[in-house]
Amino acid sequence: MDFNEAAVFVKVVQAGSFSAAARQLGIPTSTISTRVARLEQRLGVTLLQRTTRRLNLTEAGALYFEHASTGLGYLLEAEAALDEARQQPQGVLKITAPADIGDALLAHLTAQIQQAYPALSMELMLTERYVDLVAEGVDAAIRTGELRDSSLIAKSLGRIQWALFASPQYLASAASIATPADLSQHQCVQFTPMGRQHWELQRASTILRVPLAGRTLVNSIGVVKSMAENGQGIALLPTFICQAAVSTGGLQPVLPDWRGQADVLHLVYPKQRFMPPKLCGFIDLAVASLKPLFSG
């Protein structure tokens, strides 16, 4: 089946003549005539009766035109729908991020996306396991550390800087802290992925391993932060999740000249020839929203 022949036939009927159809399609009248003739030959029926003055549909031609024009209309509607989808982000966008920082990273970003693209729904997967984006049908991931899959496209968002924080109440009642060695006299709330026995702190080119005196090990950043705000000790936390608490006086930096590690942060997504609008919109907003947090 040659859809070009059917489309040309429909256009001839709609235009009322071969020459008018040729002008509208921008092709020679002879080409129009040839394609209609091929269509009639393939179907084994006469579709059009041509005279010097007018063009008439046969009974078979009228029946074929009715169905062909309807089918072509559906095709045009389908292409228009796809074209609209290419322009406007919609559907379900699946995003994954590490559970320990994903809530702090994605809560505000999700609100921005829903406001900018009301036709777009989001599904967030916060997990510590490695998610195969292609196999699990996930659109994009926010990942820390070195990338394991070179087949993914990665956009750098900067680095997550870790530093020491405690509540003003704890610092007011505890021994003073002038050097990293003084931490041995304090309760330290330990986020287990950052070390069970010691913290590694750096100032300029100097790196120290500081033994920890705390008795609490926690695998949730959110719980560690809450414990620090409740006056239960000193915590090593990502600076970006402490900004609000510092500005309101809930937390204070401790030994601000000393820092923990800096984790590389990337936005990654599978390579694909045609990027869906929902992913393009997410990438643009994510980079604009998150990159300023980690540019320092």
Side-chain angles (χ1 to χ4, degrees), residues 3 20-21 142 146 190 208 215 275 286:
F3 286 103
I142 294 175
E146 298 303 320
Q190 298 160 234
L208 296 178
R215 298 187 182 92
M275 289 275 289

Side-chain angles (χ1 to χ4, degrees), residues 85-98 102 105-126 133 138-143 153-155 157 265-270 272 275-292:
R86 284 197 299 267
Q87 304 301 322
Q88 176 63 37
Q90 56 186 291
V92 178
L93 181 71
K94 295 184 179 181
I95 305 297
T96 185
L105 285 174
L106 294 178
H108 178 62
L109 180 58
T110 300
Q112 288 183 304
I113 290 172
Q114 290 175 335
Q115 183 178 8
Y117 308 118
L120 186 63
S121 300
M122 293 192 68
E123 180 179 332
L124 306 182
M125 297 172 55
L126 304 184
L133 301 187
V138 178
D139 294 292
I142 294 175
R143 289 180 175 162
I153 297 176
K155 286 185 176 292
L157 297 174
L265 188 69
H266 285 101
L267 173 63
V268 299
Y269 50 94
Q272 47 196 306
M275 289 275 289
K278 63 179 182 179
L279 182 54
C280 292
F282 172 75
I283 291 170
D284 291 343
L285 271 179
V287 171
S289 178
L290 299 181
K291 200 164 186 176

Side-chain angles (χ1 to χ4, degrees), residues 55-238:
L55 199 63
N56 294 317
L57 280 170
T58 64
E59 183 177 352
L63 180 64
Y64 188 81
F65 174 77
E66 178 184 355
H67 291 283
S69 59
T70 300
L72 288 171
Y74 285 138
L75 285 174
L76 292 173
E77 288 178 7
E79 291 193 6
L82 284 177
D83 186 61
E84 182 179 355
R86 284 197 299 267
Q87 304 301 322
Q88 176 63 37
Q90 56 186 291
V92 178
L93 181 71
K94 295 184 179 181
I95 305 297
T96 185
D100 55 3
I101 62 171
D103 54 349
L105 285 174
L106 294 178
H108 178 62
L109 180 58
T110 300
Q112 288 183 304
I113 290 172
Q114 290 175 335
Q115 183 178 8
Y117 308 118
L120 186 63
S121 300
M122 293 192 68
E123 180 179 332
L124 306 182
M125 297 172 55
L126 304 184
T127 177
E128 296 305 327
R129 72 176 178 86
Y130 181 83
V131 176
D132 186 323
L133 301 187
V134 175
E136 299 187 43
V138 178
D139 294 292
I142 294 175
R143 289 180 175 162
T144 59
E146 298 303 320
L147 298 179
R148 294 165 50 183
D149 191 346
S150 60
S151 67
L152 300 174
I153 297 176
K155 286 185 176 292
S156 174
L157 297 174
R159 291 176 177 268
I160 297 177
Q161 181 65 63
W162 295 70
L164 298 169
F165 296 90
S167 70
Q169 295 82 359
Y170 175 83
L171 295 174
S173 62
S176 62
I177 307 172
T179 69
D182 295 332
L183 292 171
S184 62
Q185 304 173 42
H186 289 265
Q187 290 295 318
C188 296
V189 185
Q190 298 160 234
F191 178 54
T192 47
M194 294 297 289
R196 292 174 174 268
Q197 305 298 326
H198 67 270
W199 282 332
E200 190 171 277
L201 301 178
Q202 182 173 357
R203 182 179 67 181
S205 60
T206 302
I207 299 177
L208 296 178
R209 281 193 169 189
V210 181
L212 300 178
R215 298 187 182 92
T216 306
L217 300 175
V218 186
N219 69 347
S220 166
I221 282 289
V223 173
V224 172
K225 178 174 176 286
S226 294
M227 291 178 68
E229 290 177 302
N230 290 337
Q232 293 175 254
I234 299 172
L236 186 61
L237 292 164

